C-alpha cells in the first residue's frame, strides 16, 4: 500500500511532551499518529471524549460509559503492542539488509563469508518467521482472543525482539565503518560471534510466544496472583530463587484473600509488577549468559519485600482480632457488673 507524507504544525512544548510520552510507551510519534488515524478511520469518531463541559460534570459522563471505556483501553493496549512489534521487525530487517549488502563481494575470508550467510540467510529467515508470527497473532481469530491472554508474557516477547533489534543496530553501527576502511583477515571474527549470539536470541523467542498463547488472564484472588508468579517464573532455572518463590506462593495462598482491599491492590500493582520484572530479567540473564547472580539477588530482595508486607499485614490483623475479642469480653464484664453477676459472685449450680 502506497504511503503519503503529512505535514502539520505543533507548538514546541506539545511536541516535546508527546515525544517523551511516546518514548515511555516504546513508540515513535509516527506510530502514535498512525494508531490515532487508524482508530478514527475504523470507528468514524474521535477515540476520546471532547467536551466543553465544566470539569466537575465530567466524571458522571465517564462513569456512564463504564465497560466501553475499559474496552477501548484494552484495544489500544493491544494495538500499541502490535505497532511496536511491526516497528521493531522493520528495524531488524533494515539492519540485516544493510549489513548483508555492505559485505564486499571481493572479500572471501571465512569471517566475512560467515557474516554474509548469517545476515542474508539464517538471521533473515528467523526475522521473517518472527514477523509472520506477529502478523498471524494480530489478525483473524487470534486477534479476538488476545484480551484473554496474559499480556505480561507478550511484553516479555516484545522485550526480546527489542533486545535483538538493539544488538543488531549496535553491530551495524560499528561493522559498516570497519568494512569501508578495508577488511583484514581475522578482524571480523568477533562480529560473526555476535551475530551468532543474536541467532540464539531468536531461538529463545518461540518458547515465550508459546507460553503466551497457552496463557490466560486470571482475575482476582490468591490463585490469580499465584498464577502470575508461576507464569513469570516458568523459564527460570536458578534453584534457590524458585524455592523462594514457592515460599512466597504459600504465604499468598494462606493470607492474600484475607487482606484489606487496599493492600491487595497495592500488592497486585506495584509490588507484584516489580517482582515479575526482576524474574524476567533473571530469565534473560540465564538465557543470554548475563550476570545471573546479581539478577537472582534482586529477585530475592523483591520476594523478601512481598513476604514482609504479607506477614506484617497478617500480624496486624491478628492483633486487631485480639483487641476486638478483648473488647467483647470487657463489654460482657461490664454487663455482668451492672446486673450484679460478677465473676466472684457467680457459682456453678449444684
Amino acid at each position: 500500500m502506497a504511503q503519503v507524507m503529512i505535514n502539520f504544525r505543533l507548538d514546541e512544548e506539545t511536541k516535546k511532551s508527546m515525544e517523551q510520552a511516546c518514548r515511555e510507551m516504546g513508540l515513535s510519534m509516527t506510530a502514535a499518529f498512525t494508531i490515532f488515524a487508524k482508530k478514527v478511520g475504523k470507528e468514524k469518531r474521535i477515540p476520546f471524549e471532547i467536551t466543553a463541559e465544566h470539569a466537575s460534570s465530567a466524571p458522571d459522563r465517564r462513569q456512564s460509559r463504564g465497560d466501553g471505556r475499559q474496552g477501548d483501553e484494552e484495544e489500544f493496549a493491544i494495538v500499541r503492542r502490535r505497532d511496536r512489534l511491526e516497528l521493531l521487525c522493520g528495524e531488524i530487517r533494515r539492519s540485516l539488509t544493510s549489513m548483508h549488502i555492505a559485505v564486499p563481494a571481493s572479500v572471501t575470508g571465512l569471517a566475512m563469508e560467515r557474516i554474509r550467510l548469517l545476515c542474508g540467510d539464517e538471521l533473515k529467515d528467523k526475522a521473517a518467521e518472527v514477523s509472520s508470527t506477529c502478523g498471524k497473532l494480530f489478525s483473524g481469530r487470534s486477534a479476538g482472543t488476545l484480551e484473554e491472554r496474559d499480556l505480561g508474557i507478550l511484553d516479555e516477547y516484545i522485550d526480546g525482539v527489542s533486545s535483538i533489534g538493539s544488538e543488531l543496530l549496535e553491530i551495524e553501527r560499528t561493522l559498516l565503518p570497519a568494512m569501508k576502511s578495508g577488511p583484514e583477515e581475522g578482524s571480523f571474527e568477533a562480529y560473526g560471534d555476535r551475530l551468532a549470539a543474536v541467532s540464539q536470541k531468536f531461538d529463545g523467542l518461540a518458547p515465550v510466544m508459546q507460553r503466551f498463547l497457552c496463557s490466560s488472564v486470571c482475575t482476582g484472588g490468591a490463585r490469580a496472583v499465584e498464577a502470575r508468579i508461576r507464569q513469570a517464573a516458568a523459564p527460570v532455572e536458578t534453584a534457590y530463587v524458585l524455592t523462594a518463590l514457592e515460599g512466597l506462593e504459600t504465604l499468598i495462598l494462606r493470607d492474600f484473600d484475607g487482606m484489606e482491599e487496599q493492600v491487595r491492590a497495592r500488592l497486585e500493582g506495584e509490588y507484584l509488577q516489580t517482582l515479575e520484572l526482576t524474574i524476567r530479567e533473571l530469565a534473560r540473564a540465564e538465557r543470554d549468559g548475563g550476570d545471573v547472580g546479581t539478577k537472582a539477588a534482586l529477585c530475592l530482595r523483591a520476594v523478601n519485600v512481598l513476604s514482609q508486607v504479607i506477614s506484617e499485614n497478617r500480624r496486624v490483623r491478628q492483633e486487631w482480632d485480639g483487641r476486638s475479642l478483648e473488647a467483647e469480653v470487657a463489654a460482657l464484664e461490664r454487663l455482668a457488673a451492672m446486673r450484679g453477676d460478677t465473676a466472684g459472685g457467680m457459682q456453678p449450680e449444684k
Side-chain angles (χ1 to χ4, degrees):
M1 182 180 296
Q3 296 188 349
V4 296
M5 179 71 71
I6 300 175
N7 293 316
F8 55 89
R9 295 183 180 276
L10 284 175
D11 65 81
E12 186 175 359
E13 286 301 319
T14 300
K15 179 176 180 291
K16 288 181 179 179
S17 177
M18 183 172 181
E19 284 178 333
Q20 176 63 28
C22 287
R23 278 196 295 270
E24 293 174 359
M25 293 186 290
L27 293 172
S28 65
M29 286 185 68
T30 299
F33 280 120
T34 300
I35 293 172
F36 174 80
K38 287 182 177 179
K39 196 166 183 66
V40 171
K42 177 182 178 182
E43 300 184 2
K44 311 300 182 187
R45 68 179 183 90
I46 302 297
F48 48 80
E49 186 176 12
I50 299 177
T51 179
E53 296 177 10
H54 191 273
S56 62
S57 65
D60 291 336
R61 181 180 295 268
R62 287 195 294 269
Q63 290 173 4
S64 67
R65 292 174 59 166
D67 295 338
R69 175 177 290 275
Q70 182 179 358
D72 287 346
E73 291 175 352
E74 291 175 351
E75 181 181 356
F76 177 76
I78 292 172
V79 170
R80 176 167 59 84
R81 289 172 170 85
R82 180 199 66 193
D83 286 355
R84 187 182 180 203
L85 276 170
E86 288 180 354
L87 184 65
L88 290 170
C89 288
E91 286 296 315
I92 289 172
R93 289 194 300 270
R94 188 204 58 76
S95 290
L96 290 173
T97 300
S98 178
M99 287 185 283
H100 182 243
I101 64 177
V103 178
S106 58
V107 178
T108 58
L110 292 177
M112 298 298 289
E113 187 62 26
R114 185 186 183 196
I115 292 173
R116 182 184 286 111
L117 290 173
L118 281 166
C119 293
D121 294 317
E122 184 175 324
L123 292 177
K124 181 180 177 182
D125 290 343
K126 292 182 177 181
E129 183 179 351
V130 169
S131 183
S132 175
T133 298
C134 295
K136 294 176 182 177
L137 185 67
F138 294 101
S139 63
R141 295 182 179 179
S142 298
T145 63
L146 292 183
E147 294 177 2
E148 302 172 5
R149 309 296 179 197
D150 185 348
L151 294 180
I153 302 177
L154 181 58
D155 288 337
E156 180 182 345
Y157 183 87
I158 296 173
D159 288 344
V161 178
S162 178
S163 176
I164 289 172
S166 298
E167 179 66 15
L168 287 175
L169 183 60
E170 182 61 29
I171 295 173
E172 178 190 0
R173 286 173 176 170
T174 55
L175 177 59
L176 298 191
M179 286 181 176
K180 291 180 180 178
S181 65
E184 298 178 2
E185 183 64 28
S187 62
F188 292 98
E189 291 181 359
Y191 289 106
D193 292 339
R194 291 176 67 182
L195 289 170
V198 171
S199 182
Q200 292 180 349
K201 285 188 175 183
F202 269 117
D203 295 337
L205 292 176
V208 179
M209 178 56 68
Q210 188 60 36
R211 282 199 294 118
F212 172 67
L213 294 175
C214 294
S215 70
S216 60
V217 175
C218 299
T219 57
R223 290 293 180 184
V225 177
E226 178 193 34
R228 284 179 60 179
I229 294 175
R230 290 193 173 185
Q231 286 180 348
V236 172
E237 298 177 355
T238 305
Y240 59 88
V241 171
L242 294 175
T243 300
L245 290 172
E246 289 176 1
L248 177 60
E249 290 173 12
T250 301
L251 280 177
I252 288 171
L253 291 176
R254 187 187 68 185
D255 297 329
F256 184 83
D257 289 336
M259 298 169 67
E260 296 179 1
E261 183 177 353
Q262 185 177 5
V263 179
R264 290 203 308 268
R266 190 163 63 246
L267 276 173
E268 287 187 275
E270 303 167 7
Y271 291 97
L272 190 55
Q273 287 179 7
T274 301
L275 175 63
E276 288 172 324
L277 180 60
T278 62
I279 294 173
R280 189 184 307 169
E281 288 295 316
L282 172 59
R284 183 180 301 170
E286 291 176 341
R287 184 182 68 241
D288 299 340
D291 188 355
V292 174
T294 299
K295 301 300 183 184
L298 283 174
C299 277
L300 293 180
R301 287 170 59 187
V303 169
N304 185 51
V305 170
L306 265 78
S307 299
Q308 288 182 358
V309 171
I310 295 171
S311 298
E312 179 65 16
N313 186 265
R314 177 182 175 84
R315 183 187 65 78
V316 170
R317 190 175 71 250
Q318 288 175 336
E319 289 181 357
W320 176 258
D321 291 343
R323 287 196 297 270
S324 299
L325 182 58
E326 289 174 2
E328 292 290 340
V329 172
L332 286 175
E333 288 176 343
R334 288 193 299 270
L335 179 60
M338 290 173 61
R339 296 173 53 184
D341 299 330
T342 60
M346 296 176 65
Q347 300 294 331
E349 296 182 359
K350 296 183 179 179

